[in-house]
Amino acid sequence: MSNTEFPDDELRQEQEFIDGLYARVDALRGDAETSVTDALAQGNTPMQARLERDILVAERSGLLAALNAVDGSLCFGRIDLTSGVTHHIGRIGLRTDDAERTPVLIDWRADVARPFYLATGHTPMGLRRRRHIATDGRRVTQLHDELLDLGDRTRTGHEDPTGDAVLLAALDSARTGRMSDIVQTIQADQDRIIRAPHRGILVVEGGPGTGKTAVALHRAAYLLYEHRELLAKRAVLIVGPNPAFLGYIGEVLPSLGETGVLLATVGELYPGVKATATDTPEAAAVKGRADMADVLAEVVRSRQALPDPVIAIEHDREVLMLDDGLVGVARDRARAAKLPHNAAREHFEGHILNALTDLYAERIGTDPFDGSSLLDPSDITQIRDDLAENPEVWSAIDRLWPVLTPQRLVADFLAAPEEFLPPEDADAVRRPVTRRWTVADVPLLDEAAELLGDDDRLARERAQREREQQIAYAQGVLEVSYASRTYEFEDKEEGDPESSEVLSAHDIIDAERFAERHEEDDHRSAAERAAADRTWAFGHIIVDEAQELSPMAWRLLMRRSPTRSMTLVGDPAQTAEAAGVGSWSDILSPYVEDRWEHTRLGVNYRTPAEIMDVAAAVVRAEHPGFEPPGSVRSTGVRPWARATDDLPGAVAKAVEELTPAEGRLAVIAPRDLHRSVAARLDGVTAGAEPDLTRTVVLLDPRQAKGLEFDSVLVAEPGRYGTSDLYVALTRATQRLGVLHTGELPKALAEAFG
């Protein structure tokens, strides 16, 4: 509809209201930009002023990010209550500038906005009317009203009789290569999940196109709104299956005004390592097994060695022998401390030094006649101190209980795994020592870090030196302050009350407290600090495609969520990774037993019924009782399949036919065919991380997980497993084509008729 089809006063009123909102946002943005600019222009300032400036920049930059992010569709709805009160609903909340601070725009996450998503004619929740406001930038383009009070005789001329116009328009719109938020079209079943309590573990299961990912992202935004103080400090982690997927969803939370969230793949959850390489399915399955934790523990124990047969240490013309009995006792005592390997080394060092001290003292300090000791305690202490300066002692300790890094431990294990794994498993994971880590290596690195811990003595010494330097600097500042104050009042006449009552900083604070007060704060966001800290405990974790994670990956994630506050979304029917757990019970029972909630989304908003029928037939051939989510729409366009002798040429021709005037097309093909296919497609590169904003992209089935496109072309479906084929067939919102050189899978051939 055009604007002329609506009464002028309705459109004019909404346009004037939205113009006022944007004027308010522009003013806020201007104030924030000015504050940041002024703060940065201060240049060199005293310590306290510099600290205040940094805090101001951090706060105002966060405000700027939020204001810039919500620039489009700031207001998208209105609810008219039977009481006569009207509320406009938008992406953020805005209030008047006066003392009353009256709400002007209601944040979609506020309780008062909930009827916008839940009210029905049967349960109106106090609403008379619900209005959807469509905008293009800052211009109102359409209004859609739903009448919820059937006794209300007032009509505006633009009632939507079905109430589905806005939802269907969103579903039929062209894709951009970036996920859009669903804040305007959240459905009732989705809203209940979004607003569920954040404590504990919530599993959201749903088939393709049910909006699992969108719901999870909006849940993150809701939790950050509802529990701002807690989650702003601890941050929210969102784990996705691959970098392309994270790029695809990366604009959703900023569009909802939330920027303080960490998005990462499992391969990015070990600081200092960004693993993008992949293993063979066999290697990934072995590395992902839960018993790899025990294997790595045994690898660590193997590095706590015994001498073979002895280690000779020369000290002050005496030769002291470390044999396996003496070292075995020291090793057992160090292990009994129940500390990680590197932290327990200090205990091992102490036991070895004590044993060597006893050997040396017995050698030089025993009376040959009666066997009594000729040494007093101070002599024993001196002997121990001298041994602690002997390089041969430390060389022996390094051989017997070395300080280890997770990277070195895992690399050495993978280079020679036969001592710890059965031959078949060892052959699967063996590789030369390399710096190129795979995604499946990251949980092993994290496990190794837990087993090894840190020897933090050097860090403590460094911190102490820095502390002493800060105190010395603070002492100098105080002395200057005291001297200047003395100079300022030395000409005052004796008895002057001003000279007797003024206190200097030196009178009320010492250098140590002054240093504490003026230490530089860490102004990184919680998400930035969390990304650099392996031991960070997140306030909430959201995992997409959760069924694909291995048991070892779950160990990593559970360490980062000691409160077990998590939202897991996925679909066991789409499990494709060899190491994937698939069953929710198998994933969660080791950590929370049966203390988790499960809910299911059953409506498919993405995939038309014509395409879903074909995809479901593939799964039913293997699982006859399979029930797919019901599609909310039908396009009348049937998917097709064609045989060909020239796959790259057929793909190029089909791409010309299917490429939409607007939107995106995906070619999904086995990875080994990408080079030949890309050679026939303009602007498409094989092997690179896909740019989903391009009109045509080339993917394999695993890369396509969680994504959607207007049109999809599936090549060589006979080479996919059932779950991979199911994923590939359900990515399209409008059109689907299949090309094959061999026979189609039987179920697929029957579905195409």
Side-chain angles (χ1 to χ4, degrees), residues 261-568:
V261 177
L262 177 62
L263 278 68
T265 66
V266 170
E268 297 169 323
L269 288 178
Y270 189 88
V273 171
K274 187 173 183 179
T276 56
T278 56
D279 282 296
T280 64
E282 296 78 13
V286 173
K287 292 178 180 181
R289 289 194 316 233
D291 62 6
M292 282 302 297
D294 296 328
V295 171
L296 287 175
E298 187 58 35
V299 174
V300 172
R301 289 174 67 88
S302 73
R303 302 300 293 273
Q304 299 164 358
L306 296 176
D308 183 21
V310 296
I311 296 177
I313 297 175
E314 183 176 349
H315 183 72
D316 197 16
R317 298 189 300 277
E318 295 287 342
V319 177
L320 307 176
M321 297 294 186
L322 284 176
D323 58 27
D324 58 356
L326 187 151
V327 174
V329 171
R331 184 175 70 172
D332 291 344
R333 290 178 178 174
R335 287 176 174 175
K338 303 296 184 183
L339 294 172
H341 171 88
N342 289 333
R345 173 176 154 126
E346 189 171 359
H347 291 264
F348 182 77
E349 294 169 0
H351 292 310
I352 292 296
L353 283 170
N354 289 340
L356 290 172
T357 298
D358 291 343
L359 286 175
Y360 188 78
E362 183 180 357
R363 188 81 55 86
I364 69 168
T366 302
D367 190 311
F369 298 104
D370 60 12
S372 62
S373 176
L374 301 175
L375 304 174
D376 60 28
S378 63
D379 295 326
I380 300 298
T381 300
Q382 186 60 52
I383 291 172
R384 194 182 191 279
D385 291 343
D386 291 342
L387 283 166
E389 298 294 329
N390 188 332
E392 291 189 25
V393 174
W394 293 106
S395 176
I397 290 173
D398 287 340
R399 289 168 57 188
L400 299 170
W401 197 291
V403 174
L404 300 171
T405 66
Q407 290 89 333
R408 174 52 58 188
L409 184 81
V410 173
D412 289 347
F413 160 65
L414 294 176
E418 55 276 357
E419 181 182 347
F420 307 98
L421 294 175
E424 184 177 351
D425 292 346
D427 290 341
V429 303
R430 183 183 294 107
R431 70 170 188 234
V433 174
T434 177
R435 291 182 178 273
R436 192 165 183 259
W437 299 104
T438 68
V439 174
D441 291 334
V442 167
L444 302 186
L445 291 169
D446 196 72
E447 188 73 28
E450 285 291 305
L451 293 167
L452 296 177
D454 295 318
D455 183 355
D456 63 352
R457 282 173 292 176
L458 291 177
R460 293 200 305 266
E461 292 172 3
R462 182 170 60 252
Q464 181 59 32
R465 288 196 300 271
E466 292 174 354
R467 177 79 176 149
E468 291 170 355
Q469 291 171 358
Q470 290 168 348
I471 292 173
Y473 171 76
Q475 183 67 47
V477 172
L478 290 173
E479 289 175 355
V480 171
S481 172
Y482 180 74
S484 63
R485 182 65 65 182
T486 300
Y487 177 79
E488 181 179 347
F489 291 106
E490 65 182 1
D491 293 332
K492 297 285 185 182
E493 295 184 7
E494 186 176 352
D496 188 329
E498 184 178 1
S499 64
S500 62
E501 294 177 2
V502 174
L503 296 176
S504 71
H506 197 283
D507 294 317
I508 60 176
I509 189 170
D510 60 24
E512 187 169 354
R513 290 180 60 199
F514 189 78
E516 289 176 355
R517 184 174 296 181
H518 293 85
E519 285 177 347
E520 289 292 336
D521 286 353
D522 186 347
H523 297 310
R524 293 176 298 172
S525 69
E528 290 170 331
R529 286 182 283 125
D533 184 353
R534 191 193 66 81
T535 64
W536 189 271
F538 287 92
H540 194 78
I541 295 179
I542 292 174
V543 185
D544 206 310
E545 302 293 348
Q547 76 281 351
E548 301 288 6
L549 269 60
S550 71
M552 288 300 292
W554 282 112
R555 287 177 65 87
L556 178 155
L557 287 177
M558 290 298 175
R559 289 189 192 103
R560 285 151 176 76
S561 181
T563 61
R564 303 294 188 256
S565 179
M566 308 177 85
T567 301
L568 314 181

Side-chain angles (χ1 to χ4, degrees), residues 118-127 130 147-150:
L118 297 183
T120 64
H122 184 266
T123 309
M125 300 179 69
L127 297 194
R130 172 170 48 213
L147 191 62
L148 300 175
D149 181 359
L150 299 182

